[in-house]
Protein backbone atom coordinates (compact mmCIF):
# COMPACT_ATOMS: atom_id res chain seq x y z
CA UNK A 1 0.00 0.00 0.00
CA UNK A 2 2.88 2.35 -0.75
CA UNK A 3 3.35 4.64 -3.72
CA UNK A 4 6.89 5.84 -4.49
CA UNK A 5 7.55 9.15 -6.25
CA UNK A 6 10.75 10.59 -7.70
CA UNK A 7 11.39 14.11 -8.96
CA UNK A 8 15.10 13.67 -9.78
CA UNK A 9 15.12 10.88 -12.39
CA UNK A 10 15.16 8.12 -9.76
CA UNK A 11 18.07 9.26 -7.58
CA UNK A 12 15.79 9.64 -4.55
CA UNK A 13 12.27 8.45 -3.80
CA UNK A 14 9.52 9.61 -1.46
CA UNK A 15 6.99 7.07 -0.21
CA UNK A 16 3.28 7.77 0.28
CA UNK A 17 1.26 5.21 2.23
CA UNK A 18 -2.36 4.52 1.28
CA UNK A 19 -4.29 3.69 4.45
CA UNK A 20 -7.25 1.31 4.32
CA UNK A 21 -6.78 0.53 0.64
CA UNK A 22 -8.57 -2.83 0.76
CA UNK A 23 -7.12 -3.81 -2.62
CA UNK A 24 -3.87 -4.51 -4.42
CA UNK A 25 -2.43 -1.80 -6.67
CA UNK A 26 -1.74 -3.12 -10.17
CA UNK A 27 -0.87 -0.23 -12.51
CA UNK A 28 -0.31 3.52 -12.29
CA UNK A 29 -0.74 6.07 -15.10
CA UNK A 30 -0.49 9.85 -15.14
CA UNK A 31 -2.43 12.02 -17.59
CA UNK A 32 -0.18 14.99 -16.77
CA UNK A 33 2.18 15.91 -13.90
CA UNK A 34 -0.74 16.57 -11.52
CA UNK A 35 -3.40 13.94 -12.40
CA UNK A 36 -2.60 10.29 -11.73
CA UNK A 37 -4.66 7.11 -11.48
CA UNK A 38 -4.10 3.59 -10.14
CA UNK A 39 -6.04 0.47 -11.14
CA UNK A 40 -6.48 -2.00 -8.26
CA UNK A 41 -7.89 -5.41 -7.52
CA UNK A 42 -11.00 -5.73 -5.31
CA UNK A 43 -12.94 -2.97 -7.11
CA UNK A 44 -10.63 -0.15 -6.01
CA UNK A 45 -9.51 2.91 -7.93
CA UNK A 46 -7.06 5.53 -6.64
CA UNK A 47 -6.53 9.05 -7.98
CA UNK A 48 -4.50 12.17 -7.27
CA UNK A 49 -4.95 15.71 -8.52
CA UNK A 50 -1.95 17.25 -6.74
CA UNK A 51 0.96 15.38 -8.30
CA UNK A 52 0.84 12.50 -5.83
CA UNK A 53 0.96 14.50 -2.60
CA UNK A 54 -2.39 12.97 -1.62
CA UNK A 55 -4.40 10.04 -2.98
CA UNK A 56 -8.14 9.28 -2.83
CA UNK A 57 -9.39 5.68 -2.81
CA UNK A 58 -12.81 4.93 -4.29
CA UNK A 59 -14.81 2.03 -5.70
CA UNK A 60 -16.01 1.74 -9.27
CA UNK A 61 -19.16 -0.07 -8.15
CA UNK A 62 -18.74 -3.04 -10.50
CA UNK A 63 -17.37 -5.53 -7.93
CA UNK A 64 -14.42 -6.77 -10.00
CA UNK A 65 -10.65 -6.38 -10.02
CA UNK A 66 -8.68 -4.22 -12.42
CA UNK A 67 -5.22 -4.90 -13.84
CA UNK A 68 -4.77 -1.98 -16.19
CA UNK A 69 -5.70 1.64 -16.81
CA UNK A 70 -5.35 3.74 -19.96
CA UNK A 71 -5.91 7.45 -20.52
CA UNK A 72 -6.65 9.07 -23.88
CA UNK A 73 -7.91 12.60 -24.51
CA UNK A 74 -9.34 12.92 -21.00
CA UNK A 75 -11.12 9.55 -21.04
CA UNK A 76 -10.12 6.83 -18.52
CA UNK A 77 -10.44 3.13 -19.35
CA UNK A 78 -9.86 0.24 -16.92
CA UNK A 79 -9.71 -3.48 -17.62
CA UNK A 80 -9.16 -6.64 -15.66
CA UNK A 81 -10.99 -9.72 -14.48
CA UNK A 82 -14.41 -8.63 -15.75
CA UNK A 83 -15.69 -6.25 -18.38
CA UNK A 84 -13.90 -2.98 -19.14
CA UNK A 85 -15.16 0.31 -17.80
CA UNK A 86 -14.87 3.93 -18.96
CA UNK A 87 -15.00 7.28 -17.16
CA UNK A 88 -15.39 10.65 -18.82
CA UNK A 89 -15.12 12.63 -15.55
CA UNK A 90 -11.76 11.64 -13.99
CA UNK A 91 -13.15 8.55 -12.29
CA UNK A 92 -16.08 10.21 -10.52
CA UNK A 93 -18.44 7.76 -12.26
CA UNK A 94 -17.93 4.74 -14.52
CA UNK A 95 -19.80 3.10 -17.41
CA UNK A 96 -19.49 -0.62 -18.16
CA UNK A 97 -18.44 -1.49 -21.72
CA UNK A 98 -20.76 -4.46 -22.07
CA UNK A 99 -19.26 -5.84 -25.31
CA UNK A 100 -15.66 -5.79 -24.07
CA UNK A 101 -13.39 -8.80 -23.55
CA UNK A 102 -12.44 -9.98 -20.05
CA UNK A 103 -9.15 -11.10 -18.44
CA UNK A 104 -7.35 -8.15 -20.01
CA UNK A 105 -3.96 -7.57 -18.37
CA UNK A 106 -2.98 -4.45 -20.29
CA UNK A 107 -4.94 -1.82 -22.11
CA UNK A 108 -3.68 0.96 -24.37
CA UNK A 109 -5.77 3.65 -26.05
CA UNK A 110 -3.93 5.76 -28.64
CA UNK A 111 -6.95 8.08 -29.01
CA UNK A 112 -10.30 8.21 -27.21
CA UNK A 113 -11.70 5.99 -29.98
CA UNK A 114 -8.80 3.63 -30.82
CA UNK A 115 -7.65 1.10 -28.24
CA UNK A 116 -5.85 -2.23 -27.89
CA UNK A 117 -6.35 -4.86 -25.21
CA UNK A 118 -4.15 -7.88 -24.45
CA UNK A 119 -4.47 -10.63 -21.90
CA UNK A 120 -5.43 -14.21 -21.17
CA UNK A 121 -7.39 -16.01 -23.86
CA UNK A 122 -8.96 -19.44 -24.17
CA UNK A 123 -7.54 -22.51 -22.41
CA UNK A 124 -5.86 -25.05 -24.70
CA UNK A 125 -7.32 -27.97 -22.75
CA UNK A 126 -5.97 -31.05 -21.06
CA UNK A 127 -3.98 -31.60 -17.89
CA UNK A 128 -0.93 -29.78 -19.24
CA UNK A 129 -2.76 -27.04 -21.09
CA UNK A 130 -2.13 -23.33 -21.10
CA UNK A 131 -3.94 -20.06 -21.70
CA UNK A 132 -3.49 -18.58 -25.17
CA UNK A 133 -2.75 -14.90 -25.56
CA UNK A 134 -5.63 -12.63 -26.49
CA UNK A 135 -5.52 -9.45 -28.57
CA UNK A 136 -8.42 -7.12 -29.30
CA UNK A 137 -8.89 -3.67 -30.81
CA UNK A 138 -11.64 -1.07 -30.88
CA UNK A 139 -12.25 1.96 -33.09
CA UNK A 140 -15.32 3.30 -31.30
CA UNK A 141 -14.12 4.01 -27.77
CA UNK A 142 -14.63 0.48 -26.50
CA UNK A 143 -18.26 -0.03 -27.47
CA UNK A 144 -17.31 -2.91 -29.80
CA UNK A 145 -14.15 -5.02 -30.00
CA UNK A 146 -12.65 -7.32 -32.62
CA UNK A 147 -9.81 -9.76 -32.15
CA UNK A 148 -9.04 -13.21 -30.85
CA UNK A 149 -8.83 -15.19 -27.62
CA UNK A 150 -6.50 -17.74 -29.28
CA UNK A 151 -3.53 -15.77 -30.57
CA UNK A 152 -1.47 -18.45 -32.34
CA UNK A 153 1.98 -19.14 -30.95
CA UNK A 154 1.53 -17.17 -27.74
CA UNK A 155 0.62 -17.74 -24.14
CA UNK A 156 -1.22 -15.12 -22.11
CA UNK A 157 0.06 -11.58 -22.68
CA UNK A 158 1.03 -9.55 -19.62
CA UNK A 159 1.89 -6.10 -20.99
CA UNK A 160 1.88 -3.95 -24.12
CA UNK A 161 3.58 -0.70 -25.09
CA UNK A 162 2.91 1.50 -28.12
CA UNK A 163 5.88 3.73 -29.01
CA UNK A 164 3.87 4.97 -32.01
CA UNK A 165 0.09 4.91 -32.60
CA UNK A 166 0.44 2.13 -35.19
CA UNK A 167 3.15 -0.12 -33.69
CA UNK A 168 3.07 -1.93 -30.36
CA UNK A 169 5.11 -4.54 -28.54
CA UNK A 170 3.63 -7.10 -26.15
CA UNK A 171 5.24 -9.49 -23.65
CA UNK A 172 4.07 -13.12 -23.70
CA UNK A 173 6.12 -15.13 -21.18
CA UNK A 174 9.58 -15.27 -22.86
CA UNK A 175 8.45 -13.81 -26.19
CA UNK A 176 7.94 -10.35 -27.60
CA UNK A 177 5.03 -9.94 -30.00
CA UNK A 178 5.09 -7.02 -32.45
CA UNK A 179 1.66 -5.55 -33.22
CA UNK A 180 1.15 -3.37 -36.27
CA UNK A 181 -1.96 -1.60 -37.44
Amino acid sequence: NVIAKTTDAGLTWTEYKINNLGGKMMQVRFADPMHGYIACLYDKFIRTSDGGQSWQVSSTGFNTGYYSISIAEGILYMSGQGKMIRSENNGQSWTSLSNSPYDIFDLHFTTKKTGYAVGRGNYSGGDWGYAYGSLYCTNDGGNTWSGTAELAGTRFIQAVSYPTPSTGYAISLNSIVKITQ
Side-chain angles (χ1 to χ4, degrees):
N1 295 351
V2 174
I3 297 168
K5 176 182 177 179
T6 184
T7 57
D8 58 10
L11 293 175
T12 61
W13 293 85
T14 303
E15 291 185 351
Y16 298 88
K17 183 163 176 52
I18 304 293
N19 294 317
N20 303 316
L21 175 59
K24 180 180 178 184
M25 295 183 282
M26 299 302 290
Q27 190 176 66
V28 61
R29 298 270 191 233
F30 272 77
D32 57 49
M34 300 304 286
H35 296 90
Y37 309 93
I38 301 175
C40 303
L41 295 179
Y42 307 109
D43 194 35
K44 299 298 181 188
F45 169 71
I46 307 171
R47 69 176 159 259
T48 183
S49 59
D50 60 10
Q53 297 300 313
S54 64
W55 294 86
Q56 298 76 45
V57 179
S58 63
S59 171
T60 65
F62 290 104
N63 198 29
T64 192
Y66 300 99
Y67 301 128
S68 182
I69 187 164
S70 185
I71 308 162
E73 300 175 41
I75 309 294
L76 302 176
Y77 299 88
M78 279 202 307
S79 64
Q81 298 165 330
K83 297 292 183 184
M84 289 180 208
I85 57 176
R86 173 178 57 213
S87 176
E88 298 183 22
N89 57 9
N90 292 317
Q92 298 294 323
S93 62
W94 296 89
T95 303
S96 176
L97 301 175
S98 59
N99 295 316
S100 64
Y102 60 93
D103 266 348
I104 297 301
F105 293 157
D106 207 357
L107 185 62
H108 184 80
F109 274 79
T110 57
T111 70
K112 67 180 180 180
K113 296 287 186 186
T114 304
Y116 303 91
V118 297
R120 180 175 31 232
N122 295 336
Y123 185 70
S124 67
D127 290 341
W128 306 103
Y130 56 89
Y132 288 101
S134 65
L135 171 65
Y136 300 93
C137 62
T138 183
N139 290 310
D140 61 7
N143 293 317
T144 60
W145 293 83
S146 60
T148 182
E150 289 188 15
L151 193 58
T154 67
R155 302 297 196 263
F156 69 92
I157 299 176
Q158 299 105 326
V160 68
S161 176
Y162 275 82
T164 71
S166 61
T167 303
Y169 296 90
I171 297 171
S172 172
L173 296 178
N174 294 330
S175 301
I176 297 174
V177 179
K178 183 176 182 180
I179 304 165
T180 56
Q181 189 174 359

